[in-house]
């Protein structure tokens, strides 16, 4: 089975990365690191040997949409995404990648907040 990490170079993204590695070990699953913020993570430092990096289609302008499409693969069992605290008004007026993933993914989504 496979877990997808919605990777971002933020405190919430780092918390999600750490959780996703632990969860992949616990489930004995492969881990796909899918950057949603345009960054290029160094997966060699993850300390887990079943990690691969997958980028959005070069012709696509929507990495989050490509990640959501990847959740339709039969081997994918969960997505891990980092979230930050947002006010109710912020949730209404500002869209977020995490919110889109939570609402549209075809598999369960594990949302992780950074430690305060």
């Amino acid at each position: 089975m496979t877990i997808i990490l919605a990777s971002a170079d933020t405190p919430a993204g780092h918390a999600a990365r750490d959780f996703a590695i632990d969860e992949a070990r616990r489930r004995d699953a492969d881990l796909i690191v899918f950057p949603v913020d345009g960054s290029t993570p160094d997966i060699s430092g993850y300390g887990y040997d079943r990690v691969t990096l997958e980028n959005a289609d070069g012709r696509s302008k929507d990495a989050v949409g490509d990640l959501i499409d990847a959740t339709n693969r039969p081997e994918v069992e969960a997505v891990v995404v980092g979230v930050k605290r947002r006010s109710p008004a912020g949730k209404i007026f500002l869209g977020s990648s995490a919110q889109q993933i939570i609402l549209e993914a075809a598999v369960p989504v594990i949302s992780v907040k950074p430690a305060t």
Side-chain angles (χ1 to χ4, degrees):
M1 300 312 286
T2 301
I3 295 173
I4 296 177
L5 166 63
S7 174
D9 192 18
T10 64
H14 297 169
R17 176 199 60 215
D18 296 342
F19 184 89
I21 293 167
D22 291 342
E23 189 68 9
R25 282 190 179 115
R26 187 182 72 76
R27 294 184 187 210
D28 191 31
D30 296 328
L31 178 62
I32 295 175
V33 178
F34 201 110
V36 293
D37 65 349
S39 64
T40 306
D42 178 16
I43 62 172
S44 65
Y46 279 33
Y48 187 62
D49 60 346
R50 294 172 60 186
V51 179
T52 57
L53 179 64
E54 185 173 323
N55 291 301
D57 184 349
R59 298 169 293 185
S60 174
K61 292 185 172 59
D62 185 17
V64 173
D66 289 348
L67 183 146
I68 291 168
D69 289 345
T71 65
N72 289 308
R73 298 178 194 158
E75 70 274 9
V76 175
E77 61 181 325
V79 176
V80 178
V81 62
V83 296
K84 61 181 179 180
R85 174 127 169 68
R86 295 173 59 197
S87 70
K91 290 176 187 172
I92 292 170
F93 295 116
L94 299 173
S96 80
S97 299
Q99 184 174 1
Q100 185 179 358
I101 293 166
I102 290 167
L103 294 174
E104 297 180 19
V107 295
V109 177
I110 303 167
S111 57
V112 180
K113 287 184 182 180
T116 55

